[in-house]
Amino acid sequence: YISRLINSQSVKGKDWNFELPKIYSLNILDFTFEEAMLPLDKEVKRTEETKFVSKVQLLDCETKEVFYDKLTFIYIELPRFTKELNDLKTFFEQWIYIIKHLHELEELPSNFRKEKIFKSLFETAKIARMSKKEVNNYLKDLNNMNIVRNEIRSRDKIIAMHAKTIAKHVNIIAQKNNALAQKDNALAQHVNIIAQKDNALAQHVNIIAQKDNALAQKNNALLALQRKVDDYEKKFGAINGTKVL
């Protein structure tokens, strides 16, 4: 399978530079290497008893250096992973745990529910356990749910369109109200100017009235003075025996 994957990346023609991307072969085993070697009567030497992930590459047998770093085989031995649910510390350990125990779980553990990927994996596993009849019923229900979702989406689109139209009308009304407010403000300013002019005119009228009143008082004083002069002349003429017309 790996050879086919490498071969499928080749490009026809002379322009291919033979630069292949790195390839990883991920192998999840439900047995250990010791168990695999029992029929061959071979012993597997372990440097770490708790190691359950092995990374294998092509090496030069003499120099022990990596011969080709673009091909890597990764083996995960599930039986060697012995951590319990409460002992999991990393996201990788959670993945290994759920892969190993998925067939035993009736519900998703609480500390897995934060990750959306685990919810999706658990739901997919539920479907995989179903009988053919249960799968058909599930697909019918799923199809009905999709129909309902599509109807809701269509209604949401219509509501969104109406909302946009309403927003446009509200914006137009707001603009008209703003223009009307500006006109009202201009009218109020004109009224204020007229009131100021009326006030100034009233002040001028008051000043004129005051001047007229002062002039009337002067006229009255002159008339009173004239009468006194006339009386004096009459008296003076009578004394001198002259007649004052």
Side-chain angles (χ1 to χ4, degrees):
Y1 293 106
I2 297 299
S3 298
R4 290 179 184 176
L5 185 58
I6 295 173
N7 185 57
S8 65
Q9 297 179 40
S10 62
V11 179
K12 292 182 179 180
K14 297 180 180 180
D15 296 331
W16 185 33
N17 56 12
F18 297 93
E19 290 188 6
L20 295 172
K22 291 185 177 181
I23 297 175
Y24 295 87
S25 173
L26 179 61
N27 305 273
I28 301 175
L29 311 179
D30 61 353
F31 56 87
T32 65
F33 286 130
E34 287 87 350
E35 294 171 347
M37 292 300 175
L38 283 177
L40 302 176
D41 197 22
K42 291 184 177 181
E43 183 181 357
V44 178
K45 295 182 179 180
R46 297 276 186 177
T47 55
E48 296 180 29
E49 290 298 325
T50 59
K51 182 180 179 181
F52 63 93
V53 179
S54 299
K55 179 181 176 183
V56 179
Q57 289 182 319
L58 300 177
L59 298 179
D60 187 308
C61 295
E62 293 182 0
T63 63
K64 307 301 181 182
E65 294 179 353
V66 176
F67 176 75
Y68 185 70
D69 64 350
K70 292 188 176 182
L71 181 58
T72 304
F73 297 88
I74 298 175
Y75 296 93
I76 300 175
E77 301 171 79
L78 292 180
R80 296 185 65 82
F81 182 78
T82 57
K83 285 193 173 184
E84 298 297 330
L85 185 62
N86 294 330
D87 298 327
L88 305 178
K89 296 180 180 179
T90 66
F91 185 67
F92 177 70
E93 290 179 350
Q94 285 182 313
W95 262 110
I96 302 304
Y97 180 89
I98 200 168
I99 290 173
K100 181 177 180 179
H101 298 282
L102 187 59
H103 65 286
E104 305 170 352
L105 300 175
E106 294 297 330
E107 62 179 11
L108 190 65
S110 58
N111 53 340
F112 283 80
R113 294 172 187 170
K114 296 179 181 179
E115 298 292 342
K116 188 177 179 180
I117 186 66
F118 291 135
K119 292 181 181 179
S120 178
L121 174 65
F122 197 77
E123 292 300 320
T124 303
K126 281 184 179 180
I127 299 171
R129 293 179 184 177
M130 294 180 181
S131 64
K132 186 175 181 180
K133 183 178 180 181
E134 289 174 335
V135 170
N136 289 333
N137 291 333
Y138 171 79
L139 293 176
K140 287 180 182 179
D141 292 339
L142 185 62
N143 185 48
N144 292 332
M145 288 176 61
N146 289 332
I147 292 172
V148 172
R149 286 174 182 171
N150 289 333
E151 290 179 354
I152 292 173
R153 287 172 183 170
S154 298
R155 291 179 183 178
D156 288 342
K157 288 182 180 178
I158 294 172
I159 292 172
M161 291 173 60
H162 285 302
K164 287 182 179 179
T165 303
I166 292 171
K168 288 181 180 178
H169 286 297
V170 169
N171 188 33
I172 292 171
I173 293 171
Q175 290 176 354
K176 289 183 178 179
N177 287 337
N178 186 33
L180 185 61
Q182 290 177 353
K183 289 180 179 180
D184 289 341
N185 187 32
L187 181 60
Q189 290 178 354
H190 285 298
V191 170
N192 186 34
I193 292 170
I194 293 172
Q196 291 176 354
K197 290 181 178 180
D198 288 342
N199 186 31
L201 181 60
Q203 290 177 355
H204 285 298
V205 170
N206 187 33
I207 292 170
I208 292 170
Q210 291 176 355
K211 290 181 178 180
D212 289 341
N213 186 31
L215 184 59
Q217 291 177 356
K218 289 181 180 180
N219 289 335
N220 290 332
L222 288 173
L223 290 174
L225 181 59
Q226 184 64 42
R227 282 195 293 270
K228 289 182 179 180
V229 170
D230 291 342
D231 291 341
Y232 177 77
E233 288 179 347
K234 287 179 181 180
K235 291 179 180 180
F236 184 77
I239 295 172
N240 295 321
T242 60
K243 185 177 181 180
V244 179
L245 298 178

